[in-house]
Amino acid sequence: MNKAADDAGDGSELIFADIARDIAATGYSILPNALPAALLDQLSKHVQTMSGADFKKAGIGRESAQHLNQLIRGDEICWINGDHEAGAAWLGWLESLQVFLNRRLFLGLFSSESHYAHYGPGDFYKKHSDAFKGEANRVLSMVLYLNNEWQSEDGGELVIYTGYEAQTPLAVSPSFGTIVVFLSEDFPHEVLPTRRDRFSIATWFRASSASAPR
Ligand code: OGA
Ligand code: MN
């Protein structure tokens, strides 16, 4: 990258500032149209070229026995590396966001990991947390949605549990270009059963190299 890593050069600083403001205020941020149009277009075109063979059933750590797993989550995932142009551009944007958030919020984000996810009709992901208190692991979670013309009857909402003792559900439609960012330890969340194919990119930022990714 030639430019300073926090200067994406595409106007993303305005969005980064919105994310930082929301995270500081409430711990989460929901933003429609958060990505540069060219990057969003690149990612959505790439995901459309991917086939079933590119995706693998997602696991849930220790209890990864498939029959147990299916009761908890049904999605298939594909980790993103720099092999494709779209993935490389996405990782660059994430790096810029990481640098910005570290400067603005002193989060000490050190690395990120990111995967495409596909939920087919009937798939869901039961209520869970992306990180566990006291374990140095995921600090910030982010999901980007790549679904054109999502309708309310399509289901598949992300529900994040906000407010006092995480008792207030907030449903987000997985609409094209929407991003949701939240502090991983503080917001349990779930994906309601979807009625059509649902594509997203899930990302986690970690605070240190101490706990190896995956
Ligand atoms: C996850 C997750 C939410 C979504 O992958 O951990 O919570 O809306 N995804 O896809
Ligand atoms: Mn999650």
Side-chain angles (χ1 to χ4, degrees):
M1 203 185 285
N2 296 325
K3 295 188 211 71
D6 65 335
D7 177 12
D10 55 12
S12 285
E13 289 70 26
L14 294 172
I15 290 296
F16 295 168
D18 285 351
I19 295 170
R21 175 206 60 207
D22 291 350
I23 295 293
T26 62
Y28 68 91
S29 182
I30 300 166
L31 298 171
N33 303 313
L35 247 63
L39 178 57
L40 186 57
D41 185 60
Q42 217 178 351
L43 290 167
S44 94
K45 288 208 168 103
H46 182 65
V47 88
Q48 283 165 36
T49 69
M50 291 172 72
S51 72
D54 294 317
F55 286 92
K56 292 197 169 54
K57 274 288 171 207
I60 49 164
R62 277 179 292 256
E63 295 167 288
S64 57
Q66 205 50 244
H67 61 286
L68 273 180
N69 195 41
Q70 285 304 103
L71 302 175
I72 296 167
R73 67 187 295 189
D75 59 322
E76 305 174 313
I77 65 168
C78 174
W79 290 98
I80 299 177
N81 53 40
D83 288 355
H84 293 275
E85 217 182 312
W90 172 245
L91 296 181
W93 193 81
L94 291 179
E95 192 188 326
S96 303
L97 173 60
Q98 179 177 309
V99 169
F100 187 98
L101 293 177
N102 282 341
R103 293 213 173 128
R104 195 58 68 97
L105 299 178
F106 307 103
L107 286 176
L109 305 176
F110 181 86
S111 64
S112 65
E113 51 186 332
S114 196
H115 66 58
Y116 297 100
H118 167 236
Y119 292 72
D123 288 342
F124 53 81
Y125 192 165
K126 292 279 191 202
K127 189 173 175 183
H128 66 280
S129 173
D130 286 346
F132 298 95
K133 291 209 195 283
E135 285 181 31
N137 49 17
R138 291 163 167 178
V139 172
L140 200 65
S141 301
M142 177 165 77
V143 194
L144 162 70
Y145 299 107
L146 298 171
N147 308 297
N148 280 303
E149 297 180 33
W150 199 264
Q151 309 292 326
S152 56
E153 59 266 27
D154 296 330
E157 293 93 346
L158 169 70
V159 179
I160 63 172
Y161 291 85
T162 66
Y164 179 69
E165 294 191 337
Q167 292 298 306
T168 311
L170 184 63
V172 185
S173 168
S175 298
F176 194 72
T178 293
I179 65 166
V180 180
V181 189
F182 54 91
L183 293 172
S184 303
E185 281 190 357
D186 294 349
F187 298 91
H189 54 281
E190 68 184 310
V191 177
L192 301 182
T194 182
R195 288 189 201 92
R196 58 174 261 219
D197 287 307
R198 176 192 193 271
F199 291 94
S200 60
I201 297 178
T203 301
W204 298 273
F205 294 94
R206 289 175 185 272
S208 84
S209 58
S211 58
R214 280 174 269 156

